Amino acid sequence: MTVNLTTVLSSATRQVVISRDGPTVVIGERINPTGRKQVLAAFAAGDFEIARTDALAQVEAGAQMLDVNAGVPGADEPVMLRQVMQTVMAATDVPLCIDTADPVALAAALSFYKGKALVNSCNGEERSLKAVLPIVKEYGAAVIGLCMDDDGIPETPEARLAVAGKIIERAGKLGIPIEDVIIDPLALTMGADSHAGRIAMDTIELIIKEFDVNITMGASNISFGMPDRPYINSAFIAMAIHAGMTCPITNPLVTQVITAVLAADLAMGRDDYGMRWIKAFRKRQKAAGAAA
Amino acid sequence: MTVNLTTVLSSATRQVVISRDGPTVVIGERINPTGRKQVLAAFAAGDFEIARTDALAQVEAGAQMLDVNAGVPGADEPVMLRQVMQTVMAATDVPLCIDTADPVALAAALSFYKGKALVNSCNGEERSLKAVLPIVKEYGAAVIGLCMDDDGIPETPEARLAVAGKIIERAGKLGIPIEDVIIDPLALTMGADSHAGRIAMDTIELIIKEFDVNITMGASNISFGMPDRPYINSAFIAMAIHAGMTCPITNPLVTQVITAVLAADLAMGRDDYGMRWIKAFRKRQKAAGAAA
C-alpha cells in the first residue's frame, strides 16, 4: 500500500492539508442543530447569525475546517443548507465539511461550493454507497466513510476494517482516489460499553496499517453520560492522535480539548520548537487577561 | 516472545500487579530531594516528616507505589535512605521503588525491605549492569532499566531498543526473569528537541513488540521549559499509556496528570463500567466541597 496519504481540501482561497506528517486538523462541530436547541430554533426561524458567530469563534479557537449541518426537521434542507453555508463562507474562508444525509441537498451544496469540500458522510450500506459516492465523484470532493453497513455498526475492529475496505474499494471503482476517502472508525459512548474507546483506537490502527488513509472521528460522544467529560475527551483525543487520527470533528471552544490536540501534536513531533504550542499559550494568556 | 508479561511487586502487606491488562500503576515521584529544596533542607537537617506527608498525600491522590530517593549531597546515603524508607513504610504499606545510584545504599535498603521492591535503576553501562543486577538478583527485587549505555542516550528508538535488549539479556543471565525488568525508554525534554516525546513513544512500541515487558517513564520532564506544563504532561501520559507504558513515575498531586491516567485507563477499556473514573470524580467533588 502507499504510505503517507495526504488529503488536500480547499475553499476558494484557502487550502488545508491533512496527513500524519503535519499537525492535526480540527473540524469544528458546532454548526449543527442536532442536539443544540438554540441553533435549531434560530435556523427554523430563518436566522443564521448563530452560524456566523459559531464559525468565527471556532476558527479563532483553532478549527481549520468547519462542519456545516442544516438538518432541521420539516425544513427544506437543500435551501437551508445553502443559506447556512453561504453565511459561513461569508464569515470565513476555511474549507467546509458538508454534513447532510440528503443526497439532493448534498449535490446542490457541492454545485455552488468553490473549492474541494469534504462530504460527511457515506457508510458501507448499499443505499448510502450508491447515493453518495457518485455525487462525491461528480464534484471532485473528498468523503468521510463511516464504519457501519447494512448490518449496523460492527463490534470488532476487524469487522470495521472490512467496512472501511469496502467503502474505499467502491470509491476507487468510481474513480475517487483512496486519499480522498477519510475513514471514521466510530467511537460509541463508553457509558454504554467501556470498551468503546479501545475498539475505536484499535480500529484506527488496523485501518492505517492496511490503507494508511486519513482518519476522522466524532471525538466528543465517547464520554456521554460520564462526569467530567472534557478530561475524558482530551485524554481520548490525544490517544486517538497517537493511534493515527488526523482530523477529529470536535468542539474547539472546549479549552481542554483544543489544548490536548496541540499538546498531542507537540508530543508527536509535529510542532517544531513548540512554536504552535507557545503561540496558543500566549493567546490563552491574552484572552484570560482580557476576561479579567 | 511471551505475551502479557506481569510484574508483581509487594510490601509486607500489599501487592501491586503491573501489566497491560490492568490499570496503570502510578509511582509517586515526590519523595526526592533532587530539585526540591524544601525536601533537601529537611532531609539534611534529619527531619523526615515531609517524607511522611508526601507519602500519604501521593497515596491519597492515587499513587500505588512510591519512589523513595534520599540523595543528599554530603550525607551518608545508606543511613539516610533507610531513615526515609522507614518513615514512609510507617506511614503507608504501598510497595516502594528504591531510587539510588549507590550500590551500598541499595543493598542495605533491600536487606531490610520486607516484600519485593522495584529498584530505580540500572542502565546499559557495563559499570551499572555489574554493580546493580547482582544485588537485584540477591534480594529477589525487580529493576528499572534505562535505555542508555556507555555511549550516552541513543538518539533513535532502534538504538534504545538495543540497550533494552542488552539489559534484559544480562539480567536473564543472572537469573532475573524478564518480567522483573521494567524498561524506561527515557523521555528527554521537548524544549531541547521537539521530537523527544515521539522518540520515547516509538521506543515504547518497539520494546513492547520485541519483549512485551512493562514500561515506566519519568513523565514530567518532557515539558520542561514549556508553558502550561500540566496540559502537555497529561496529553503525553495518555498517549504513552496508549503506546504501552504501564507504570509512569510522576506527580499524582497534579490533578490534570492523575486524571489523564484515569481517563486513559477508561479509554483503554481497563475501567469496567467506568467505576474507577466515577469514584475519582466523586472524590474530587468532595475535596472541592471541603475546600470551599
Side-chain angles (χ1 to χ4, degrees), chain A residues 6 12 17 28 30 62 73 100 106 127 144 210 213 233 239 247 256:
Chain A
T6 295
V17 175
R30 285 176 62 79
T100 175
L106 176 63
R127 201 182 49 170
I144 294 173
E210 184 80 13
V213 290
N233 291 351
M239 295 164 84
C247 48
Q256 279 151 293

Side-chain angles (χ1 to χ4, degrees), chain A residues 160-174:
Chain A
R160 293 190 191 183
L161 168 68
V163 177
K166 179 179 170 187
I167 296 169
I168 290 166
E169 191 193 336
R170 292 287 287 271
K173 278 187 181 160
L174 289 178

Side-chain angles (χ1 to χ4, degrees), chain A:
Chain A
M1 283 286 151
T2 41
V3 290
N4 291 328
L5 287 182
T6 295
T7 310
V8 181
L9 299 161
S10 60
S11 66
T13 51
R14 195 195 286 220
Q15 210 174 58
V16 167
V17 175
I18 307 175
S19 90
R20 264 173 292 283
D21 295 329
T24 300
V25 171
V26 169
I27 305 174
E29 73 180 6
R30 285 176 62 79
I31 303 171
N32 190 337
T34 316
R36 289 187 71 204
K37 282 183 190 167
Q38 201 193 349
V39 178
L40 184 66
F43 284 9
D47 175 5
F48 304 111
E49 169 62 14
I50 196 167
R52 197 184 70 84
T53 53
D54 267 344
L56 291 173
Q58 290 183 94
V59 171
E60 171 66 18
Q64 288 181 264
M65 290 185 62
L66 294 174
D67 187 86
V68 175
N69 181 305
V72 172
D76 182 339
E77 195 170 342
V79 171
M80 189 167 285
L81 182 58
R82 184 183 184 118
Q83 289 170 312
V84 177
M85 282 175 64
Q86 282 175 333
T87 304
V88 173
M89 289 158 75
T92 173
D93 71 346
V94 303
L96 300 187
C97 176
I98 301 171
D99 184 358
T100 175
D102 176 355
V104 177
L106 176 63
L110 287 171
S111 72
F112 76 84
Y113 183 78
K114 290 195 170 42
K116 181 172 171 182
L118 180 59
V119 170
N120 186 7
S121 56
C122 76
N123 62 54
E125 289 178 46
E126 273 309 315
R127 201 182 49 170
S128 172
L129 294 167
K130 281 179 182 154
V132 178
L133 293 182
I135 302 173
V136 169
K137 169 62 186 168
E138 181 178 351
Y139 293 98
V143 64
I144 294 173
L146 310 180
C147 290
M148 57 182 286
D149 62 12
D150 298 276
D151 298 322
I153 300 172
E155 214 168 306
T156 67
E158 291 74 17
R160 293 190 191 183
L161 168 68
V163 177
K166 179 179 170 187
I167 296 169
I168 290 166
E169 191 193 336
R170 292 287 287 271
K173 278 187 181 160
L174 289 178
I176 300 169
I178 183 168
E179 62 266 28
D180 284 342
V181 181
I182 296 181
I183 297 294
D184 182 340
L186 294 179
L188 303 178
T189 72
M190 294 194 291
D193 174 3
S194 43
H195 290 86
R198 179 66 180 270
I199 290 166
M201 295 190 290
D202 288 355
T203 302
I204 292 174
E205 292 183 289
L206 280 184
I207 291 172
I208 288 174
K209 204 175 161 192
E210 184 80 13
F211 299 112
D212 199 43
V213 290
N214 279 304
I215 303 284
T216 186
M217 199 155 59
S220 304
N221 285 331
I222 192 86
S223 60
F224 188 78
M226 290 279 186
D228 267 355
R229 294 182 61 184
Y231 280 120
I232 299 176
N233 291 351
S234 57
F236 181 65
I237 212 165
M239 295 164 84
I241 288 169
H242 180 257
M245 175 179 68
T246 42
C247 48
I249 300 183
T250 191
N251 181 357
L253 302 188
V254 180
T255 303
Q256 279 151 293
V257 167
I258 191 74
T259 308
V261 170
L262 290 166
D265 279 348
L266 180 63
M268 290 298 279
R270 295 173 188 160
D271 182 4
D272 288 344
Y273 309 103
M275 293 309 284
R276 288 176 76 230
W277 179 259
I278 291 163
K279 198 174 157 191
F281 164 72
R282 288 195 183 129
K283 207 164 150 185
R284 284 195 298 279
Q285 267 195 321
K286 208 172 152 186

